[in-house]
Amino acid sequence: MSANHSPEGNQTNQTKHQPQTYDSAFLKACRREAVPHTPVWFMRQAGRSLPEYLKVREGIPMLESCMRPELVTEITLQPVRRHKVDAAIYFSDIVVPLKAIGVDLDIKPGVGPVVAEPIRSRADLARLRDLTPEDVHYVTEAIGMLTAELGSTPLIGFAGAPFTLASYLVEGGPSRNHEHTKALMYGDPQLWADLLDRLAEITSAFLKVQIEAGASAVQLFDSWVGALAPADYRRSVMPASAKVFDAVASYGVPRIHFGVGTGELLGLMGEAGADVVGVDWRVPLDEAARRVGPGKALQGNLDPAVLFSSREAVEAKTDEVLAAAKDLEGHVFNLGHGVLPTTDPEALTRLVDYVHTRTAR
């Protein structure tokens, strides 16, 4: 199926896949259909700012918490119960599939993923084996439990995009300048292409596990790709991202693509094959639509920091986002990045209610 496929062509697959969620506002918006209200969900809504999340996670390392199906189910459901969001997002981390295939890494509090032996050579590449469903059996189990609980509320599966995973693997952890990553990309383009292709295979397998277990949509997070110029993205990253989107196209579930600081890349990110392009807060949605072009829904894009302001200010900024979105083919309301850890949960609950009320048809 091409990147410009018609959403109507997916109806049979998706109806068979999750009949309870098919007519949800979230999936309708992703398919660019009329909605009863603008659907809302938040990146990093599963945890971070919720006291009930902090309580159940207490003393449990991040990666271990991602491998406990009962805990994953509880954490994923918490924001749905509290905020009445229109979709749940599976609680996990983008490095889970890397850990599952044996990469020696850990998520260090206050730092992020840290890789013991960075990948810098062709010999290192051989350490990245294929991912099998058995490697992440806990994901299949947790999604089965979640879809039974969620009923008509869609579950979004997700994975890290090849570039962002590569940046962690090559740098050995989070990086401000991505100097080792870019050195490899520019200095050994064939090794770089082979690395991203391998990661595209692993990512595709991880998303397939989630969809086959019951996820109603998937989001590919390319958190660090905003560090690249458009020409470098097109040449050195887009083929791998496109491979991931193409690998899951036949399932008929909406595919969302999101990155941070990607205003200059929005058109290319849409070209890579997503049905929905996520937009951070730096570009108004009407301008983002012009850059992305027709045939895509957009997701976003309230600045997460706005939630620390007064209720009136939050509502005024939300109105700006909704006004910029009024002529979009499809719009999923979200923040322009993840929920900040010290956000007042009540501000999120009020925001969901406000968007639903303001956009009720």
Side-chain angles (χ1 to χ4, degrees), residues 39-246:
V40 187
W41 73 277
F42 304 117
M43 288 176 281
R44 295 184 184 151
Q45 68 185 16
R48 299 279 288 200
S49 65
L50 297 184
E52 56 266 41
Y53 163 79
L54 298 174
K55 185 177 179 181
V56 298
R57 268 282 322 276
E58 193 172 4
I60 305 172
M62 178 62 185
L63 280 171
E64 184 182 335
S65 69
C66 295
M67 299 173 190
R68 294 189 184 184
E70 294 84 0
L71 186 58
V72 168
T73 300
E74 169 60 22
I75 292 171
T76 302
L77 290 172
Q78 285 175 349
V80 180
R81 295 190 200 113
R82 181 190 270 261
H83 305 313
K84 305 298 188 286
V85 284
D86 293 278
I89 183 160
Y90 184 74
F91 175 74
S92 187
D93 189 272
I94 63 170
V95 298
V96 163
L98 300 179
K99 182 74 171 180
I101 61 168
V103 175
D104 186 358
L105 60 82
D106 195 13
I107 298 175
K108 298 196 174 177
V111 179
V114 176
V115 179
E117 297 178 60
I119 287 182
R120 306 273 171 85
S121 70
R122 185 157 294 279
D124 294 333
L125 182 61
R127 306 202 312 261
L128 300 179
R129 66 167 175 82
D130 291 342
L131 178 83
T132 69
E134 292 72 32
D135 292 322
V136 287
H137 58 88
Y138 44 86
V139 172
T140 300
E141 186 178 343
I143 291 179
M145 296 166 67
L146 275 164
T147 52
E149 291 276 344
L150 285 165
S152 60
T153 301
L155 176 67
I156 305 167
F158 78 91
F163 174 82
T164 291
L165 294 180
S167 73
Y168 279 118
L169 287 170
V170 175
E171 298 292 338
S175 171
R176 185 180 295 273
N177 299 310
H178 306 280
E179 54 265 43
H180 296 293
T181 305
K182 290 184 176 183
L184 179 60
M185 183 175 73
Y186 298 135
D188 194 340
Q190 188 57 57
L191 176 57
W192 173 258
D194 291 345
L195 171 60
L196 259 65
D197 190 68
R198 181 74 56 85
L199 290 169
E201 295 278 358
I202 292 164
T203 299
S204 299
F206 191 53
L207 290 179
K208 286 177 181 179
V209 166
Q210 294 176 69
I211 296 168
E212 289 177 8
S216 295
V218 289
Q219 176 158 307
L220 195 65
F221 281 88
D222 216 346
S223 308
W224 304 128
V225 79
L228 296 182
D232 290 327
Y233 176 85
R234 180 183 287 281
R235 176 177 56 248
S236 302
V237 174
M238 190 169 155
S241 294
K243 181 173 182 173
V244 175
F245 286 123
D246 190 56

